[in-house]
Amino acid sequence: MSPFLDQTLSNSLSPHAIKKHLRTRWLGQREVCCFDVVESTNTEANRLAREDAPEGTLIVANAQTKGRGRLGRSWASPPGSGLYLSIILRPDCPPNRFPRLTLTAGVAVASAIQQTGVKPQLKWPNDILIADRKVGGILAEAVFDRRRIDFAILGIGINVNTERDELPVSVRSLATSLRISLGKPLSRIYLLQTLLHLLEPWYESFCAGAFETILDAWCEFDNTLGRVVDVFLPERRLVGMAEALEPDGTLLVRDKRGCVHRIIAGDVVHCRLENREP
Ligand code: BTN
């Protein structure tokens, strides 16, 4: 039987349960803070990072009351069903490399989900999808210190055992969970351990500047390129074809007049499936 389906594994997220059988070298091996309920694990991580918590500190919650998504959105975090975690990272690199961290984490999350038996896809820059519905998201935040990243918080939310009626009505038609996709509940602990095990080497590649390899892996899961996208930028909106990623992960979108726009950050909505090139 797949260990993801092993119901004898505890569903309670405790430091002991997480560290037991964890196969990482350092990620999640140091400080692990587990909360039953917290406003947001990213907020907790930020607080701990300012108190000098070491790289690899893991913050996990059973539920969040103010789970945050990108662009000021909220992240529904019902108790007991999802994975809500944040990791404190201290990469020694300049601020302009920071957006690559989201893409790096996306590769790890998609790879972990793939091991459960479903086919994940990545929507640029931070969404994890199954059959075009959102199953997870990444919220990377950072504090910069002059010309370096002082610390980064990598927040990851995955709808694991979330039932349809636990998803907010506003996103119900756009979201899914692993349980809905697989038709079976999964072990959150085993998924978390798998994710940490996969994230560790991808993050080390990020730190080593091996972004080409990361981008190649990202493109294996890509669900954005070759689509017509609607990009919501701070002061304007752009519709065009998502053509390619630049070597640093920037999205290139060609508008209908043929002008190519470089999108470093923005909200991307996939327009129509039929526009995807074969
Ligand atoms: C998004 O899709 O916009 C990102 C969602 C990120 C949600 C996770 S859940 C754990 C961590 N704590 C938060 O408040 N947000 C992230």
Side-chain angles (χ1 to χ4, degrees), residues 11-27:
N11 192 39
S12 84
L13 300 166
S14 67
H16 174 75
I18 292 168
K19 287 184 180 180
K20 198 175 165 196
H21 306 308
L22 181 63
R23 290 176 295 149
T24 57
R25 282 180 290 109
W26 56 270
L27 183 53

Side-chain angles (χ1 to χ4, degrees), residues 3-263:
F4 287 104
L5 303 176
D6 187 351
Q7 297 310 315
T8 63
L9 284 171
S10 164
N11 192 39
S12 84
L13 300 166
S14 67
H16 174 75
I18 292 168
K19 287 184 180 180
K20 198 175 165 196
H21 306 308
L22 181 63
R23 290 176 295 149
T24 57
R25 282 180 290 109
W26 56 270
L27 183 53
Q29 297 288 4
R30 297 169 191 164
E31 297 190 22
V32 175
C33 309
C34 294
F35 295 90
D36 188 29
V37 185
V38 78
E39 281 196 0
S40 155
T41 55
N42 266 36
T43 307
E44 279 306 317
N46 195 297
R47 188 181 58 74
L48 289 167
R50 288 172 196 277
E51 290 170 6
D52 290 333
E55 171 155 270
T57 298
L58 172 67
I59 297 95
V60 183
N62 195 46
Q64 298 182 117
T65 53
K66 289 188 185 157
R68 294 189 275 116
R70 274 177 78 244
L71 308 167
R73 299 203 179 102
S74 60
W75 183 260
S77 314
S81 53
L83 268 181
Y84 321 116
L85 65 122
S86 301
I87 298 166
I88 296 173
L89 297 170
R90 299 184 180 277
D92 181 17
C93 62
N96 65 353
R97 296 231 188 119
F98 172 64
R100 304 179 193 189
L101 187 58
T102 298
L103 302 181
T104 305
V107 172
V109 176
S111 305
I113 288 178
Q114 189 170 41
Q115 292 197 9
T116 70
V118 287
K119 187 173 177 287
Q121 300 153 318
L122 291 171
K123 173 168 160 274
W124 191 92
N126 74 311
D127 288 351
I128 298 95
L129 313 177
I130 295 173
D132 282 300
R133 288 173 181 244
K134 183 156 171 167
V135 71
I138 294 159
L139 176 64
E141 299 175 311
V143 169
F144 302 107
D145 173 15
R146 293 203 197 96
R147 296 200 307 268
R148 314 301 291 172
I149 295 175
D150 183 13
F151 65 83
I153 305 298
L154 188 58
I156 299 173
I158 306 175
N159 299 332
V160 183
N161 293 326
T162 323
E163 303 275 15
R164 191 165 297 287
D165 62 7
E166 288 179 297
L167 296 166
V169 177
S170 56
V171 298
R172 210 168 276 174
S173 62
L174 306 169
T176 190
S177 73
L178 293 174
R179 181 185 192 140
I180 294 168
S181 304
L182 281 160
K184 297 169 201 158
L186 296 182
S187 159
R188 285 188 303 170
I189 292 271
Y190 192 73
L191 181 62
L192 173 59
Q193 291 168 334
T194 304
L195 170 58
L196 297 175
H197 187 237
L198 291 164
L199 180 60
E200 189 178 76
W202 282 118
Y203 172 67
E204 287 169 353
S205 297
F206 164 87
C207 291
F211 194 60
E212 203 182 320
T213 319
I214 296 168
L215 216 49
D216 285 348
W218 196 95
C219 287
E220 293 286 312
F221 294 108
D222 160 57
N223 188 29
T224 295
L225 301 180
R227 282 186 170 221
V228 174
V229 291
D230 207 345
V231 187
F232 293 83
L233 299 163
E235 276 159 18
R236 66 198 171 98
R237 196 176 149 190
L238 164 73
V239 178
M241 174 68 76
E243 276 200 342
L245 294 180
E246 289 206 320
D248 66 355
T250 301
L251 179 66
L252 299 181
V253 176
R254 186 181 295 272
D255 69 21
K256 64 173 188 271
R257 290 178 310 160
C259 294
V260 176
H261 303 258
R262 300 179 73 247
I263 313 297

